[in-house]
Amino acid sequence: MEKDTGIPIKRQATSPKESHDRKSKPLLLEYFPALTQYPFNAEKVMDLVLQMAVQGRLTKKWREVNPDVEPASVLLEKIKEQKVRLIAEKKIRKENPLIEIVQGIIPFDIPRNWEWVRLGTIGNIFNGNSISAAIKADKYEGLNEGYPFVATKDVGYGFENIDEENGIRIPFDQSKFKVARKGTVLICSEGGSSGKKMGICTQDICFGNKLYAIEQYGAVEPTFIMGFYYTSIFYKLFSERMTGLIGGISISKFKDIPFPLPPLEEQKEIVRIVGQLKEEIDALNRLAKERLEKKHQFVVSSLHHLTESEDSQHWYLLKDHFSNTLDELENIKKLRETILQLAVRGKLTKKWRESNPDTEPASILLQQIQEEKERLIEKKKIKKEKPLTPISEGEIPYEVPEGWEWVRMVSVVKNMSYGTSEKTNDNPNNVPVFRMGNITTEGELLFDNFKYLSPSSESLPKLYVSHYDLIFNRTNSYDLVGKSAVFEGDDNSYTLASYLIKVSLFLDYVNPFYCNNYIISKVCRVTQIEPEITAQTNQANFSGSKLKNILFPLPPFAEQKAIVQQVDYLLSLCDTLESHIKTRNETAEQLMEVVVGEVLEGAV
């Protein structure tokens, strides 16, 4: 019994005439609305198409209409005769016979008139020549005549064209260079791209030593060979035979890979169908990307207006389209950014302020913080800071609500310390050390993957992290420096590494979660952090003195708490949306396989 996918599958007639008529009929495009209601994974669908192709499932009806096609066993005899002739003509070397394929190693079932053979059976397999960059530039660059020289970098992934006109040519008279003829299939044999980069030569070429060429015998279709290379089935067989630290496969092991050989006429039909399907998949992919881009532009525009607008009309416009706009992970990320921006601009708590008109303004809060500072300085618990630079009108990045104040970050900080530079260890009985990887870009602190520091370390107890301290990442890559998170663990139990900063706030006056929301917000990132990042090769820095000097929008203390509650609620909705999207995407990929399989098996 067939699975019900909710998509009507139009079963096709199988008469020769109707089979001929189907050659120009779209097989997938007519199902576009159904296939692209979920994220469209063109690579996965193409892999499915090719797996069906090399298993003979795309040509099942074709075989019914063409029962008298010469079987692959006859093609094999012709291949053997051709190899004997080429050996006699000394065009190829005689090799030891390949091990016969037995039932236990066959990857999948094939039609009765196909044959399982070793890859080395169907063609002459050889690698190219190595040329150093200096010699290549000195002797072979810029020549007008000769064979194009193709290196691994010139070969794409699957059905992309090989870059055969890269400016490097080998003179025709240099016989030491091996030549791959037009129609030869190349595949990368070594390194990170081994088994992944491949292509078909459109002219006679010379090529690099990390590529294998297969000059096929018996007019075996090169596109069918490459289609098999492209499947995940082949890559599994390829990977199982790879060895070495950088990963590579020897020619003998490459020749050993099992290969499903169809009759020659069926190969041609498979190539035709796959070519048509590839065009349709590319078209589906373009249309799906256009659809997603339009949706993305709508979301970005709506969120921008939401951020800048003083009324709520844009929020309701977006809310009405939640189900069909905020269904992509990238859009949820944008929504998170917008929530934080609305929060630190006071727009999430506009109604709260209307309901709480008598709230003590932040100016009073600042006076209280200053008084507390002076008491702690007098008791020598904190050091006296240098006078703050006044904030000029031009520095202020945006207007804040009445009752808020723009201040320097140092105004609300009790003390600030860099983490320890002492050597850590792997003893879990010691003190866990937070590192840059423990802070996420979403402002969360991860309690895993620790290094450890001895409790008798000179850095302790001064560098123990206290409950509700901020942990700020001062050194990282450019994109990641400036991450921060709130510590909610036990006092005197954890410490931090030197590329992090421990920030202790005046907790009676400043909510650490509000402070953290501001630091990780895009507006703080763009206006306060990025302009002051010191970037070097592979590393960026944002010092503690710069952190003290950033501008900070300080709301009344009660409003800080209200903002945090609103942000927590909205971000929890984002978490729920993300979870649903991930589950949906996983289900969609499985459904895609079923739908495409049914469409193709019913229509081809």
Side-chain angles (χ1 to χ4, degrees), residues 2 50 53 81 117 124 128 144 152 155 181 204 224 228 247 249 255 274 312 329 343 350 405 425 574 589 596-597 602:
E2 295 182 355
L50 291 170
E81 292 172 4
V117 298
N124 179 34
N144 293 323
T152 305
V155 181
R181 302 298 175 187
D204 294 356
F224 181 81
F228 179 61
I249 186 171
K255 290 178 179 180
V274 167
S312 57
L329 292 176
K350 182 179 180 181
E405 294 287 337
N425 57 64
C574 291
E589 286 204 358
V596 173

Side-chain angles (χ1 to χ4, degrees), residues 33 82 87 168 176 187 220 307 414 436 464 501 538 559:
Q82 183 179 352
I87 292 168
I168 308 297
K176 69 176 182 178
I187 188 169
V220 173
T307 305
K414 186 183 295 183
M436 63 176 74
Y464 275 124
I501 300 175
N538 299 323
E559 188 169 357

Side-chain angles (χ1 to χ4, degrees), residues 67-274:
D68 299 325
V69 169
E70 196 173 71
S73 57
V74 175
L75 175 59
L76 266 180
E77 290 302 317
K78 293 178 180 178
I79 287 173
K80 289 176 183 177
E81 292 172 4
Q82 183 179 352
K83 288 178 79 171
V84 169
R85 185 171 66 255
L86 291 171
I87 292 168
E89 295 172 355
K90 297 184 178 181
K91 292 183 178 179
I92 63 172
R93 294 179 180 179
K94 186 175 182 179
E95 296 176 327
N96 293 328
L98 295 167
I99 300 172
E100 186 177 346
I101 293 180
V102 294
Q103 187 67 31
I105 65 168
I106 292 173
F108 51 82
D109 292 332
I110 54 175
R112 282 183 297 175
N113 61 345
W114 291 33
E115 294 287 338
W116 273 111
V117 298
R118 301 285 181 183
L119 199 54
T121 303
I122 64 166
N124 179 34
I125 296 173
F126 56 101
N127 66 336
N129 300 85
S130 175
I131 313 176
S132 71
I135 292 176
K136 191 186 293 185
D138 182 53
K139 295 184 63 176
Y140 303 117
E141 190 173 319
L143 300 181
N144 293 323
E145 293 187 348
Y147 296 112
F149 183 85
V150 170
T152 305
K153 67 176 180 61
D154 303 312
V155 181
Y157 294 89
F159 290 88
E160 301 170 27
N161 293 329
I162 297 173
D163 183 7
E164 296 169 336
E165 302 300 331
N166 55 21
I168 308 297
R169 288 186 173 272
I170 307 299
F172 295 124
D173 60 358
Q174 298 211 7
S175 58
K176 69 176 182 178
F177 285 91
K178 299 171 188 175
V179 177
R181 302 298 175 187
K182 179 180 178 180
T184 298
V185 186
L186 299 180
I187 188 169
C188 180
S189 64
E190 186 180 317
S193 299
S194 54
K196 300 174 184 176
K197 283 196 164 192
M198 61 192 79
I200 299 174
C201 305
T202 62
Q203 59 183 304
D204 294 356
I205 64 162
C206 294
F207 61 104
N209 66 322
K210 294 182 180 179
L211 295 167
Y212 287 162
I214 179 167
E215 288 186 336
Q216 57 274 22
Y217 306 129
V220 173
E221 283 286 337
T223 303
F224 181 81
I225 296 173
M226 194 178 72
F228 179 61
Y229 284 178
Y230 193 87
T231 63
S232 54
I233 295 171
F234 168 81
Y235 189 69
K236 181 176 183 294
L237 296 169
F238 185 98
S239 300
E240 291 169 349
R241 291 163 171 77
M242 290 174 66
T243 57
L245 291 175
I246 62 173
I249 186 171
S250 66
I251 284 185
S252 60
K253 289 185 177 179
F254 185 69
K255 290 178 179 180
D256 181 64
I257 293 174
F259 179 82
L261 182 67
L264 195 57
E265 289 303 309
E266 189 166 354
Q267 289 179 39
K268 294 176 181 177
E269 177 64 8
I270 290 170
V271 168
R272 184 195 66 76
I273 293 173
V274 167

Side-chain angles (χ1 to χ4, degrees), residues 396-502:
I396 295 175
Y398 55 85
E399 290 186 11
V400 291
E402 186 177 347
W404 290 35
E405 294 287 337
W406 276 108
V407 299
R408 302 276 180 201
M409 185 75 181
V410 69
S411 300
V412 299
V413 171
K414 186 183 295 183
N415 53 55
M416 191 180 286
S417 304
Y418 284 14
T420 180
S421 57
E422 289 188 52
K423 188 174 181 180
T424 56
N425 57 64
D426 295 318
N427 184 354
N429 295 318
N430 287 338
V431 179
V433 179
F434 287 113
R435 298 178 292 163
M436 63 176 74
N438 292 100
I439 306 175
T440 72
T441 53
E442 289 79 29
E444 296 179 359
L445 195 61
L446 305 178
F447 285 73
D448 59 12
N449 196 26
F450 284 117
K451 288 291 185 178
Y452 299 88
L453 190 68
S454 170
S456 60
S457 164
E458 292 181 0
S459 301
L460 303 175
K462 179 184 176 183
L463 289 183
Y464 275 124
V465 186
S466 298
H467 197 68
Y468 289 155
D469 276 350
L470 280 180
I471 300 179
F472 180 87
N473 185 193
R474 70 180 181 89
T475 302
N476 207 321
S477 66
Y478 181 86
D479 292 333
L480 297 178
V481 70
K483 296 184 296 180
S484 72
V486 179
F487 173 71
E488 297 182 78
D490 296 330
D491 290 355
N492 302 323
S493 299
Y494 297 82
T495 186
L496 68 170
S498 60
Y499 32 72
L500 302 177
I501 300 175
K502 177 169 76 87

